[in-house]
């Protein structure tokens, strides 16, 4: 479940919640993210906020992409 908002094609803000199955290894966790697009370059940041006992807590991703 999630939502994303684009600011005039230059910025992106997103949030979501992952409903997982503990038996399959993916638990429940919330996600927050933001991105900035400048011409062909996109810089994106994502944060996963899981519960205290989750393997998916306090994980941060940063990516840089080039769109052609």
């Amino acid at each position: 479940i999630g939502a994303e908002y684009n600011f005039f094609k230059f910025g992106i803000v997103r949030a979501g919640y992952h409903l997982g199955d503990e038996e399959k290894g993916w638990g429940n966790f919330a996600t927050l993210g933001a991105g900035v697009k400048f011409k062909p370059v996109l810089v994106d940041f994502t944060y996963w906020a899981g519960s205290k006992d989750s393997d998916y807590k306090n994980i941060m991703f940063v990516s840089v992409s080039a769109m052609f």
Side-chain angles (χ1 to χ4, degrees), residues 11-55:
I12 304 163
V13 176
R14 67 182 64 88
Y17 192 79
H18 181 269
L19 300 170
D21 186 356
E22 293 288 338
E23 293 178 7
K24 293 181 180 178
W26 285 89
N28 299 333
F29 54 89
T31 62
L32 300 171
V36 177
K37 184 176 180 184
F38 183 73
K39 298 192 180 187
V41 177
L42 174 66
V43 179
D44 198 26
F45 171 80
T46 305
Y47 176 73
W48 291 11
S51 63
K52 289 182 182 180
D53 57 345
S54 174
D55 291 337

